[in-house]
Amino acid sequence: MVDSPVIRVLLVDDEPLAREMLREMLQSDPQATIVGESVNGHEALAAIREHSPDLVFLDVQMPELGGFEVLS
């Protein structure tokens, strides 16, 4: 049996409850590890550079720098 690689996940949302819900769902998955959490687009960009996540849960509407701006 081949071991599946661990997926490195970054959570980005300005709502604490949304991040908490995602965190709770992912913590029980052995194939996912949360490498960081960000509360805005500026933090997200820094965290993406620092952690090189495989997957980013990215909120679209955030103050100052939204999800679409982060993507560009």
Side-chain angles (χ1 to χ4, degrees):
M1 182 173 182
V2 176
D3 289 331
S4 297
V6 173
I7 299 169
R8 299 166 41 81
V9 180
L10 176 66
L11 307 179
V12 182
D13 202 308
D14 59 326
E15 294 291 330
L17 184 58
R19 289 193 318 275
E20 180 182 339
M21 290 174 58
L22 286 168
R23 188 180 329 109
E24 287 177 2
M25 286 188 281
L26 291 169
Q27 284 177 337
S28 63
D29 188 340
Q31 292 181 311
T33 184
I34 299 170
V35 295
E37 294 186 26
S38 300
V39 299
N40 60 52
H42 296 291
E43 284 185 12
L45 289 173
I48 290 168
R49 288 183 191 109
E50 179 181 348
H51 299 293
S52 299
D54 301 308
L55 177 65
V56 178
F57 283 90
L58 182 59
D59 186 11
V60 174
Q61 294 182 346
M62 293 182 289
E64 295 181 35
L65 192 64
F68 288 115
E69 288 83 13
V70 170
L71 289 175
S72 24

